[in-house]
Amino acid sequence: MFSQRIDRLLKRTILGTGATIAVGAIVLYFGMRNDVTDVGYRPQQPVPFSHKLHVGQLQIHCQYCHAGVEQSAHSPVPTTSVCMGCHIVIKAESPKLQLVRESWEKGIPIQWRRVHKLPDYVHFNHARHIRAQIDCQSCHGNVEIQGVIAQNKPLSMGWCLSCHRNPEEHIIPARPISGIFTGERLPEDFREHLFEPINSNLVKGVAARVRPITSPQYGAWETDIPTPVIAGIPHPKLPGYGPENCSACHY
Amino acid sequence: MSTPAKIALALLLALMATFTIGVLSGKIWWFSEDPPLMVIPDMDDQFRLKPQGEARFFADNRAQRDPVEGTLPRQGKTYPFGMGDVDSAEKYFAAGNPLPKTEYVLARGQNRFNTFCSPCHNYTGTGDGLVQQKGFGNQVTMNLLREEARAYSDAKIFHVISAGQNIMPAYADRISETDRWAIVHYIRELQQKANGGMVPPTSNGTVSSTQSTTVSKRMQ
């Protein structure tokens, strides 16, 4: 139709535009996923608090500071009074702790920067997962070697569901350092194995434990829930499959 | 183009492609201080108060409010006695430990003791935990196994956990009342073990509570 030159130019323009759009779409589609955008988010915190020192070296259990993770959906970041329980004496003059002391004297909370954040339309519950004896490490990575906390897992819907479908592959069973109650005493030599799972057989044979609920919901499961032995002590259970139906997380 | 140049170019392209695929699939990542990129924010941040969140409405910016003065929670009790008020506590809890001393309660006691007490008192109660060794200097954490401590009443130990003692912090806000009594049982067991097992376990593996009260009475 056109002269050969224009024809070639036209073809190249169309091809070029197409390729640009295709590459752009691939980059946007894959690049917007949480494991690209979110993993590795490591904000600088107002106080140079180190999990590596407090958990890795001093062996303070997670629940000493994040108490309440066993009972509530939210896992609280410790209040200033928790820090001051020790730091009223320890390193009482340290300039690194200046902000903590100020917060303690004035009664103003320290503004920690939040690392793990699900969208507000997702309801995640810590207590349910902790009572199924799932260790913090399954979802937060090796916190005890991190100087500054970074997000380690994508926290995307696909990630939640892949564990709910195949818990055997994703769950790291409770370790002593997390302070998760397993209903039994620790073995005698637990002090040498603080950072290793207590019962590595915990997640075996999940399929035999669960019963699917087909109606009225799809993708929901039932497992045996032990009756509480003592009122007021949250009773642990064996993990089953997690739910897959939408209303379990979006409501 | 010469062949070596072509090979070099091909290698470079392959490297770039691997890197791009690695990044896009999330296999290659690096730390970043910038908040995650949000192309479409959806309803990720809804206008509501969140636990431990911020609320500009209040003068102190805290979303979590203290209870109104003069009100009591419907569930759970606030611990009524101040630090050092051992006498009132002993009178109030004269009945001793309300929990049965079963294997399950002891397991819970061990779990809570390891979590909350072991940094200072060590896993065995000897008072030389890692925080004590590294941080406290000449401030001594008490050995819970010594004669004097073995003679304490259950109520006194419960009181020290709930309200603290000198530089030991209070734990009433972080350990529930039931759990604190479970810890008391566990400390009693640690003391018995260290003392050559003063109270033998009964045949079903549990220690009856009457036996342990006789021991603490005799020691007083």
Side-chain angles (χ1 to χ4, degrees):
Chain A
M1 210 173 6
F2 305 105
S3 77
Q4 223 173 26
R5 224 181 114 233
I6 296 196
D7 211 29
R8 227 171 27 226
L9 198 72
L10 216 62
K11 264 191 207 148
R12 281 188 190 167
T13 321
I14 291 174
L15 264 179
T17 322
T20 315
I21 291 177
V23 169
I26 290 175
V27 168
L28 267 186
Y29 180 77
F30 289 101
M32 261 169 63
R33 296 180 332 162
N34 286 12
D35 37 6
V36 179
T37 57
D38 290 21
V39 174
Y41 176 41
R42 186 176 64 177
Q44 209 58 44
Q45 300 289 349
V47 179
F49 173 80
S50 159
H51 279 82
K52 191 173 167 186
L53 171 67
H54 287 84
V55 183
Q57 289 171 28
L58 297 171
Q59 297 178 3
I60 307 174
H61 291 42
C62 306
Q63 289 194 24
Y64 185 96
C65 294
H66 302 289
V69 63
E70 211 175 39
Q71 281 108 16
S72 78
H74 171 74
S75 161
V77 164
T79 56
T80 304
S81 64
V82 173
C83 311
M84 285 313 268
C86 290
H87 284 291
I88 200 131
V89 193
I90 298 166
K91 300 254 176 192
E93 312 281 285
S94 170
K96 289 187 189 167
L97 286 157
Q98 180 63 28
L99 203 69
V100 181
R101 286 192 296 272
E102 256 169 40
S103 150
W104 173 248
E105 277 152 23
K106 295 191 192 136
I108 306 166
I110 305 171
Q111 298 209 341
W112 300 107
R113 296 193 47 196
R114 187 162 180 178
V115 187
H116 298 79
K117 169 94 177 60
L118 288 173
D120 285 351
Y121 51 79
V122 187
H123 295 259
F124 174 78
N125 192 332
H126 269 97
R128 180 67 190 256
H129 292 89
I130 300 307
R131 280 196 206 172
Q133 306 177 42
I134 302 173
D135 195 82
C136 320
Q137 197 187 6
S138 329
C139 306
H140 295 299
N142 259 336
V143 163
E144 65 269 16
I145 55 166
Q146 293 177 13
V148 183
I149 287 267
Q151 182 166 332
N152 204 288
K153 295 277 156 54
L155 306 194
S156 62
M157 179 161 149
W159 174 74
C160 303
L161 289 178
S162 68
C163 178
H164 284 184
R165 288 183 186 136
N166 305 307
E168 291 99 335
E169 286 162 28
H170 292 263
I171 291 180
I172 297 169
R175 302 175 302 163
I177 193 71
S178 307
I180 295 172
F181 183 43
T182 57
E184 278 162 23
R185 276 188 210 232
L186 296 173
E188 285 294 327
D189 60 344
F190 74 90
R191 296 186 64 173
E192 283 102 66
H193 307 287
L194 272 182
F195 296 97
E196 291 157 36
I198 305 167
N199 173 10
S200 43
N201 290 328
L202 181 79
V203 275
K204 297 242 171 78
V206 176
R209 276 202 293 275
V210 296
R211 295 177 296 278
I213 309 172
T214 40
S215 104
Q217 311 157 299
Y218 159 77
W221 311 88
E222 225 176 31
T223 52
D224 293 324
I225 297 184
T227 41
V229 182
I230 307 270
I233 297 183
H235 199 294
K237 73 185 283 291
L238 293 172
Y241 290 124
E244 279 171 47
N245 81 334
C246 318
S247 60
C249 306
H250 304 295
Y251 51 85
Chain B
M1 238 197 284
S2 63
T3 326
K6 270 187 196 156
I7 294 177
L9 193 72
L11 274 180
L12 193 73
L13 278 177
L15 210 70
M16 273 165 64
T18 326
F19 180 74
T20 317
I21 291 172
V23 168
L24 287 186
S25 63
K27 292 279 185 286
I28 300 178
W29 53 271
W30 50 88
F31 292 116
S32 151
E33 285 188 20
D34 305 322
L37 176 76
M38 278 224 257
V39 184
I40 308 166
D42 288 339
M43 283 161 69
D44 282 9
D45 253 315
Q46 294 165 19
F47 184 67
R48 66 177 192 218
L49 299 186
K50 291 164 202 153
Q52 300 196 304
E54 195 182 34
R56 297 238 170 246
F57 179 76
F58 299 106
D60 59 2
N61 278 352
R62 284 189 311 176
Q64 248 160 289
R65 311 307 306 161
D66 295 330
V68 177
E69 232 170 275
T71 57
L72 285 173
R74 281 177 75 177
Q75 281 176 332
K77 286 170 260 171
T78 45
Y79 191 72
F81 307 112
M83 190 188 277
D85 195 2
V86 185
D87 294 339
S88 323
E90 280 191 325
K91 223 176 283 158
Y92 189 80
F93 297 110
N97 200 328
L99 293 184
K101 190 167 185 169
T102 60
E103 194 51 34
Y104 183 77
V105 170
L106 287 170
R108 179 66 176 175
Q110 185 193 35
N111 171 274
R112 295 289 96 177
F113 186 87
N114 286 355
T115 306
F116 290 102
C117 319
S118 68
C120 304
H121 289 283
N122 208 346
Y123 297 97
T124 47
T126 43
D128 53 355
L130 285 168
V131 168
Q132 164 68 34
Q133 289 171 22
K134 279 204 91 169
F136 274 159
N138 49 11
Q139 171 68 45
V140 185
T141 302
M142 296 291 184
N143 182 348
L144 300 179
L145 306 181
R146 66 192 205 286
E147 193 105 17
E148 198 191 333
R150 286 206 296 269
Y152 289 156
S153 65
D154 285 355
K156 162 145 192 187
I157 298 181
F158 183 82
H159 174 78
V160 173
I161 306 175
S162 310
Q165 178 176 310
N166 298 330
I167 65 152
M168 174 173 150
Y171 287 91
D173 56 342
R174 271 181 284 160
I175 315 179
S176 76
E177 197 177 328
T178 321
D179 287 342
R180 274 176 266 154
W181 284 119
I183 292 178
V184 173
H185 267 319
Y186 184 69
I187 292 177
R188 286 285 176 236
E189 198 209 41
L190 286 177
Q191 292 173 342
Q192 279 162 17
K193 266 196 197 147
N195 202 22
M198 283 279 288
V199 180
T202 51
S203 51
N204 59 6
T206 58
V207 180
S208 80
S209 54
T210 47
Q211 276 173 325
S212 63
T213 39
T214 34
V215 170
S216 43
K217 276 212 194 87
R218 200 170 67 231
M219 303 208 64
Q220 269 160 7

